[in-house]
Amino acid sequence: VPPGHPRFFNQLFSGLDHHALAGRFLTETLNTSPYTYEVAPVLVLMEEQVLAKLRELVGWSSGDGIFAPGGSMSNMLAMNVARFRRFPESRSRGNWDLPRLGLFASQESHYSILKGAALLGIGTDNVHLVRTDERGKMIPEELEKEIQRVKAEGSEPLFVCATSGTTVLGAFDPLDAIADVCARHGLWLHVDAAWGGSALLSPRLRHLLAGIHRSDSVTWNPHKLLMVGLQCSAFLLHDSSVGAPHPEFMLLGCLLGPLINFGAPCSSQGLLQRCHGVGASYLFQRDKFYDVSLDTGDKSPQCGRRADGLKLWILWKAVGTRGLAQRVERAFSATRYLLEQVKRREGFQLVMEPEFINLCFWFIPPSLRGQENSPEFWDKLGKVAPAIKEKMIRRGSMMVGYQPQGSHVNFFRQIITNPAVTRQDLDFFLDEIQELGWDL
């Protein structure tokens, strides 16, 4: 069952939109990179327009951004920019000249925060996972305690990652309360809205991200709920400040100029450019005949980049903001239908009421019903979901994810993003789980 099939419920992406697919065909056909205006003029302008519209939905009237190869890289960009903003010398001197930094994320946060700490040399031991409530939401009071503890140990708190739409439970952290904590301590607030960011398009659902406008940066993956197609991840930055060139650029220009001629960034460059740019003169010449601020590639750690904004631009122009909102709301409504069916059927037990589109539940086979007080019940129940999934994959009937979570043994996590999913597909989904698990 491939991701485009209406009975694929395994990941936070599925389905196929033909408008976005047309954009993907064009991207592959053009085979260019939007790092300079001269080789991808229309694509560069499209990217800037799409990023500006995404920032507007977040609630910012200005800012910056770049498309990155996935939400993990967008989160890592946020960590790198936050470090550079507080310690601009880290770019030239490295971590050895910095205090021990502290990063904070919830226990339900995406694993890319740990990966990013390892990649950037901050260290996974310096990522402090904050306790969550029974709904999977970060507890702001616990964040405050963790920050105070880290300070007392002599570390320098730097960065907080809140999550809008956690991977498993679909939880939305309380952004306003977390922003209050960050403001008190002068910390960078990043919101990982890779999954839940698309709720901003819906007047019915955007309240889930109340307070996101107070963040410093945001990750948003249109390739998930908007079905733009892999990959399309936006890193959005609120900061639009400019600064003077750093001495290191001048030194590079003097030492390496005859060989590579890395130019010093001009004083009009923003935070992303100052953090990542090196001004390679074979790409980013300063004496071009057009406005060189359109050469945006130096804002990214990448050189060659895919024109990921094109497929989103085409989709957005085709269906409009309301059409995208309806896509999100339809997925939400379909999940509500499935929720009611789960509640009605014997043997299905919710892990919790869903807040968003993540529906988490157990299927209890007849052989285990009525044994909830048995000491072996949960151990046996934890083996049910893997056994059912093996059967469905061997049969080729559908696909759905499962996982343990905290004290909870393996349960199913059902995700609906594909507009082609019908109520008949959802009824089949539950029927199939019942049939495959009946004799376990």
Side-chain angles (χ1 to χ4, degrees):
V1 180
H5 197 284
R7 291 175 182 173
F8 177 92
F9 308 106
N10 207 66
Q11 255 70 43
L12 302 182
F13 63 87
S14 68
L16 181 66
D17 179 90
H18 61 280
H19 305 102
L21 180 61
R24 295 160 75 181
F25 285 147
L26 283 170
T27 298
E28 294 303 311
T29 303
L30 293 169
N31 191 35
T32 190
S33 173
Y35 49 27
T36 62
Y37 180 75
E38 63 188 358
V39 300
V42 176
L43 301 178
V44 166
L45 296 178
M46 282 182 175
E47 180 172 278
E48 292 302 298
Q49 287 295 310
V50 169
L51 290 169
K53 189 64 178 178
L54 293 175
R55 290 194 300 269
E56 179 186 320
L57 288 166
V58 169
W60 302 335
S61 59
S62 62
D64 203 349
I66 200 82
F67 280 101
S72 291
M73 285 306 302
S74 292
N75 288 340
M76 293 178 198
L77 287 177
M79 298 162 71
N80 197 38
V81 171
R83 179 177 60 180
F84 175 79
R85 178 63 183 269
R86 176 81 70 85
F87 302 103
E89 67 274 16
S90 65
R91 193 192 140 100
S92 55
R93 300 178 188 175
N95 283 333
W96 70 271
D97 203 34
L98 304 183
R100 184 172 184 173
L101 303 179
L103 312 179
F104 304 86
S106 86
Q107 294 172 331
E108 305 296 327
S109 61
H110 193 256
Y111 66 83
S112 58
I113 303 303
L114 288 166
K115 283 196 171 187
L119 182 66
L120 296 172
I122 294 172
T124 56
D125 287 350
N126 297 312
V127 176
H128 306 281
L129 299 181
V130 180
R131 280 205 313 120
T132 56
D133 63 16
E134 69 282 355
R135 302 281 307 163
K137 300 170 180 285
M138 183 191 291
I139 303 172
E141 294 78 11
E142 293 297 320
L143 173 62
E144 177 73 37
K145 290 178 184 177
E146 278 295 296
I147 292 170
Q148 296 289 4
R149 182 184 65 79
V150 167
K151 282 185 175 181
E153 292 176 353
S155 294
E156 180 86 10
L158 171 70
F159 173 94
V160 173
C161 177
T163 309
S164 289
T166 57
T167 305
V168 177
L169 299 178
F172 287 73
D173 289 340
L175 300 182
D176 265 323
I178 292 171
D180 289 342
V181 175
C182 291
R184 279 198 298 274
H185 295 278
L187 306 185
W188 184 284
L189 174 57
H190 174 67
V191 177
D192 179 1
W195 173 225
S198 296
L200 289 170
L201 288 152
S202 166
R204 283 179 52 200
L205 300 173
R206 64 173 293 119
H207 69 275
L208 295 170
L209 297 99
I212 194 172
H213 65 284
R214 300 177 62 187
S215 64
D216 296 289
S217 56
V218 170
T219 291
W220 183 348
N221 285 7
H223 71 234
K224 289 187 166 75
L225 194 47
L226 298 185
M227 290 175 49
V228 175
L230 289 166
Q231 58 199 18
C232 186
S233 175
F235 172 65
L236 306 175
L237 183 66
H238 194 190
D239 185 286
S240 58
S241 65
V242 296
H246 290 296
E248 70 203 64
F249 285 110
M250 296 182 172
L251 181 60
L252 280 170
C254 293
L255 296 179
L256 302 179
L259 298 176
I260 306 179
N261 194 20
F262 289 114
C266 69
S267 59
S268 64
Q269 291 171 338
L271 183 59
L272 262 178
Q273 178 77 35
R274 302 198 308 274
C275 180
H276 297 125
V278 293
S281 62
Y282 49 81
L283 280 177
F284 307 112
Q285 301 93 336
R286 307 305 302 176
D287 55 357
K288 291 179 179 179
F289 68 93
Y290 58 82
D291 180 0
V292 295
S293 68
L294 293 170
D295 290 348
T296 57
D298 219 15
K299 296 191 295 186
S300 169
Q302 296 172 260
C303 181
R305 291 194 301 122
R306 296 173 63 92
D308 292 325
L310 172 60
K311 52 198 172 187
L312 176 54
W313 188 90
I314 290 176
L315 170 61
W316 210 327
K317 294 294 281 188
V319 306
T321 300
R322 185 62 198 142
L324 294 178
Q326 289 172 346
R327 183 164 294 183
V328 176
E329 290 168 358
R330 186 186 185 284
F332 187 83
S333 297
T335 302
R336 300 294 96 27
Y337 170 79
L338 188 64
L339 171 64
E340 292 308 311
Q341 300 308 306
V342 166
K343 289 180 176 179
R344 290 174 183 171
R345 295 199 182 207
E346 186 179 6
F348 289 85
Q349 180 176 326
L350 287 174
V351 175
M352 64 178 60
E353 288 277 337
E355 182 174 22
F356 193 43
I357 303 174
N358 307 49
L359 185 62
C360 300
F361 64 91
W362 291 284
F363 176 72
I364 305 173
S367 65
L368 291 179
R369 294 174 194 172
Q371 299 184 31
E372 286 78 3
N373 296 324
S374 166
E376 298 179 345
F377 174 79
W378 291 106
D379 181 59
K380 290 181 178 179
L381 184 61
K383 299 174 183 177
V384 170
I388 291 176
K389 181 159 186 178
E390 179 182 352
K391 286 185 175 184
M392 75 175 65
I393 290 177
R394 290 185 182 279
R395 180 183 284 190
S397 57
M398 62 183 192
M399 192 176 292
V400 65
Y402 72 85
Q403 64 285 301
Q405 183 82 355
S407 61
H408 296 313
V409 300
N410 284 321
F411 55 86
F412 289 112
R413 180 203 63 173
Q414 206 270 10
I415 301 291
I416 301 168
T417 60
N418 188 347
V421 173
T422 64
R423 290 192 173 187
Q424 288 74 26
D425 290 317
L426 299 178
D427 292 338
F428 173 87
F429 169 78
L430 297 179
D431 290 341
E432 185 75 350
I433 287 180
Q434 266 184 316
E435 180 181 336
L436 296 176
W438 190 257
D439 59 352
L440 294 177

